[in-house]
Amino acid sequence: MNLISKYIMNKNKHLKFSKYLFSSLFFVGFLLVSSCVKDKEKPKALPNIILILADDLGYGDLGSYNVKSLIPTPNLDKLASEGISFTNAYCPVSVCSPSRYALMTGTYPFRSWKKSGVLSNYEPSMIDDGQLTLPKMLQQAGYATAGFGKWHLGATFPTLDGLKPTGYGEFKTDNNGKNIDLGKPISNGPVDMGFENWFGFSCASECWVMDGNTIVAALQHDFYNIDSAVGKEHIEIIPSNEYLKLLTKKSIGFLSQRFRSVDENPFFLYFAPYVPHIPLSVSDEFIGTTEAGAYGDYVSELDSYIGEILDTLERSEQADNTIIIFASDNGSQFERTGVNIDNTNPNNNLGDVKIKTQNSNEHHPNGNLKGSKWTIWEGGVRMPFIVKWSSKIPSGIKSNKIFALNDVMATLSSIIEYDLPNNAAVDSFDQTLNFMGKDRNIRKSVVVQSSKNQMGLRKGDWKFIAPDNGELQGQLYNLLEDASESNNLINSNTDLANEMQNELLGIIAGKVSED
């Protein structure tokens, strides 16, 4: 073999080796890069959640639910136009403590120790030790949790003498809180139930406002006071007509802090203002701004501050991955309001309700629905319920599927892929498909309840109300044809009434309704 042949052979071998070496190095490099990219892949981003719960706001207050509403609600109407509105959503109890219990635990309140009505001053938590709550679930899933406003699910207040707080079990006493130890923290309140950040009161008639589990302030209230309390020199007094503005400021502060934080964990904001619950503590700049009287002014003010919170979110880079939920804890206590109707000093009871008329100058907070807060009627238990999730939910759609506040917990657990224990949220249904506008009959029925423990069942288009207070028969309405519950059809549909009564009794006894 000559030198030229040897040279060519050696060169070819060198080229083959070089190609092999290059290919090997390229493959190894590809594996290393792929491994690094895989290692740097972030887990699925969980959505932020903002839950807004109004207090005593009616089904007919929002323009998006009632074209005859005399109250401008541009921000909530815009929210409805950008998401989904449920037209058959239920509280499912016509007063606040039990409805908030259903929201926070996914469980009917008649399964708690408080079988009916609302918690009185200083009563203990409705939530059992170890019972999973909505904020605790989200906290365990990695969420930063914050709540501002109203709790009303009970807490344990320390006392100076070791006895029960003065006024325990009452709503109004002259010596309210006389023996409260303002230097010690409360327990079994919002912080212990999953809120890392909390500012607000447990019960308005107690007046005390907590920052975390520390009493730092008191609500100046038209009906209640803390005059008899001792050691209150450091307690700030918050005028009731400034409370909404303060809660909004703190909510925006929390959001702004989360948007600036290097912590990439999602957040849960629970905005629970004391509006439009009485007293109608309208800020000066909103007085006289609507045609629906002081009540309408108050709802309009609430809408305005909700708008500020939502604007703060929109200015961030996290708006598209944030679920916004709006609801009310029960219907309005007012059947009618207006500029010529005096609603400034109502009593907090059903006997003060003024029946609505056909006067076009009147606003009907519960729309054309019968009844009000406290009652078993639709005006007491049906609520506006709006959900927006820009990247997931179609805009401007409506759903007539049955939904209950109980369902928030199971639905959110499904969305964030959190496995609920078998003993948690036992009356909660996963309504994710309906959130996304898929129109599924997920919840077949829902139990509804009045403040006086009258029970009913909504199933499909029908509503059954059990006999109560000596009535010889129950009531049965076809809500599709008779939303105002004016035509009792029980005598002509006894088989259906008996079937619904048996289902109602079964659910109360512990059998969860079929899905």
Side-chain angles (χ1 to χ4, degrees):
M1 183 180 295
N2 59 31
L3 291 175
I4 294 176
S5 299
K6 289 182 177 180
Y7 174 79
I8 291 173
M9 290 179 65
N10 289 336
K11 187 173 183 180
N12 287 339
K13 289 180 179 179
H14 179 71
L15 288 172
K16 288 180 180 179
F17 176 78
S18 298
K19 289 180 179 179
Y20 173 79
L21 179 62
F22 178 80
S23 298
S24 299
L25 290 173
F26 179 83
F27 181 71
V28 172
F30 176 79
L31 290 178
L32 289 172
V33 171
S34 298
S35 177
C36 290
V37 170
K38 186 176 182 181
D39 288 342
K40 290 184 178 180
E41 281 182 357
K42 294 181 180 180
K44 180 181 177 183
L46 295 175
N48 303 311
I49 301 167
I50 297 177
L51 174 53
I52 303 169
L53 187 68
D55 194 353
D56 289 8
L57 181 133
Y59 186 85
D61 281 331
L62 308 187
S64 59
Y65 275 81
N66 177 17
V67 294
K68 295 181 180 180
S69 173
L70 297 182
I71 305 174
T73 52
N75 295 294
L76 288 170
D77 294 344
K78 181 174 183 289
L79 185 69
S81 72
E82 296 171 340
I84 184 169
S85 302
F86 286 80
T87 58
N88 284 306
Y90 288 87
C91 301
V93 189
S94 59
V95 282
C96 68
S97 290
S99 281
R100 289 164 193 263
Y101 177 88
L103 171 66
M104 287 294 164
T105 67
T107 306
Y108 283 124
F110 54 76
R111 305 201 196 284
S112 75
W113 72 263
K114 185 71 174 177
K115 302 302 180 184
S116 65
V118 299
L119 287 176
S120 303
N121 288 357
Y122 307 112
E123 287 189 309
S125 177
M126 286 180 67
I127 301 169
D128 290 338
D129 291 341
Q131 186 174 9
L132 186 65
T133 65
L134 175 63
K136 180 65 72 174
M137 176 189 79
L138 295 172
Q139 188 181 50
Q140 291 176 0
Y143 280 74
T145 58
F148 302 98
K150 177 177 179 177
W151 178 241
H152 210 175
L153 287 172
T156 301
F157 284 77
T159 58
L160 297 167
D161 53 13
L163 302 176
K164 288 183 178 180
T166 305
Y168 179 94
E170 304 289 339
F171 286 113
K172 185 174 182 179
T173 55
D174 293 334
N175 56 354
N176 170 50
K178 182 178 181 179
N179 63 340
I180 293 293
D181 189 341
L182 297 174
K184 292 182 180 179
I186 69 161
S187 58
N188 299 315
V191 172
D192 298 290
M193 302 304 168
F195 284 110
E196 299 168 24
N197 305 277
W198 174 266
F199 185 90
F201 57 72
S202 175
C203 177
S205 53
E206 295 166 351
C207 298
W208 306 113
V209 175
M210 291 87 69
D211 186 349
N213 58 9
T214 303
I215 299 173
V216 296
L219 188 67
Q220 188 179 55
H221 204 288
D222 288 358
F223 308 141
Y224 316 112
N225 66 73
I226 58 166
D227 294 346
S228 297
V230 297
K232 59 179 182 289
E233 293 77 16
H234 65 291
I235 295 297
E236 176 188 1
I237 304 300
I238 304 173
S240 57
N241 66 347
E242 295 180 9
Y243 190 55
L244 174 58
K245 184 183 297 184
L246 177 61
L247 297 179
T248 305
K249 180 179 179 181
K250 288 186 176 293
S251 297
I252 290 175
F254 169 77
L255 290 177
S256 300
Q257 184 273 329
R258 293 306 305 171
F259 298 152
R260 295 191 305 267
S261 176
V262 296
D263 174 9
E264 296 184 356
N265 287 349
F267 64 79
F268 170 54
L269 169 62
Y270 177 54
F271 181 63
Y274 186 45
V275 184
H277 195 290
I278 62 168
L280 301 176
S281 303
V282 187
S283 297
D284 292 344
E285 59 266 38
F286 285 91
I287 294 176
T289 57
T290 75
E291 298 178 5
Y295 176 86
D297 300 343
Y298 212 15
V299 174
S300 177
E301 181 177 5
L302 173 64
D303 179 85
S304 177
Y305 283 117
I306 288 174
E308 291 189 14
I309 292 174
L310 298 183
D311 285 346
T312 301
L313 174 66
E314 288 300 321
R315 290 193 296 268
S316 76
E317 297 179 354
Q318 301 185 38
D320 286 346
N321 194 36
T322 300
I323 300 172
I324 304 167
I325 300 173
F326 174 82
S328 180
D329 64 346
N330 48 252
S332 173
Q333 79 168 67
F334 297 104
E335 288 267 21
R336 60 191 182 101
T337 68
V339 293
N340 296 317
I341 299 174
D342 184 11
N343 294 128
T344 54
N345 292 298
N347 293 315
N348 194 15
N349 61 64
L350 184 59
D352 193 63
V353 173
K354 297 179 176 65
I355 303 302
K356 57 192 168 192
T357 70
Q358 298 303 312
N359 188 334
S360 61
N361 293 322
E362 290 182 0
H363 170 70
H364 299 159
N366 298 311
N368 67 333
L369 301 180
K370 182 178 180 178
S372 65
K373 176 184 178 180
W374 303 295
T375 73
I376 192 72
W377 310 112
E378 293 292 286
V381 295
R382 200 189 298 192
M383 62 175 179
F385 190 88
I386 303 169
V387 188
K388 176 187 174 182
W389 190 5
S390 297
S391 59
K392 302 290 184 180
I393 298 176
S395 297
I397 59 175
K398 292 188 176 183
S399 173
N400 64 0
K401 301 308 175 186
I402 297 176
F403 186 91
L405 273 182
N406 324 16
D407 299 333
V408 171
M409 193 164 173
T411 304
L412 291 180
S413 74
S414 175
I415 290 173
I416 68 173
E417 298 181 357
Y418 179 97
D419 291 330
L420 283 171
N422 291 332
N423 64 344
V426 297
D427 299 303
S428 189
F429 287 77
D430 176 8
Q431 299 253 24
T432 303
L433 290 177
N434 281 330
F435 267 35
M436 305 307 174
K438 301 300 184 182
D439 207 31
R440 300 288 192 272
N441 290 317
I442 294 171
R443 174 182 278 279
K444 300 295 193 303
S445 65
V446 59
V447 176
V448 292
Q449 185 178 2
S450 75
S451 63
K452 298 296 186 182
N453 205 31
Q454 191 170 14
M455 307 293 288
L457 184 75
R458 167 74 191 268
K459 184 174 184 179
D461 295 332
W462 293 87
K463 180 178 177 182
F464 169 77
I465 300 175
D468 187 55
N469 296 328
E471 290 184 20
L472 296 178
Q473 62 177 15
Q475 300 163 63
L476 185 69
Y477 301 97
N478 185 325
L479 295 180
L480 181 64
E481 300 174 354
D482 180 24
S484 62
E485 298 171 283
S486 58
N487 186 19
N488 185 3
L489 301 175
I490 196 165
N491 289 332
S492 57
N493 295 273
T494 54
D495 289 345
L496 176 59
N498 289 333
E499 175 188 321
M500 293 182 70
Q501 182 172 33
N502 289 334
E503 180 174 341
L504 172 62
L505 294 174
I507 295 173
I508 294 172
K511 179 183 177 182
V512 179
S513 178
E514 63 176 1
D515 58 14

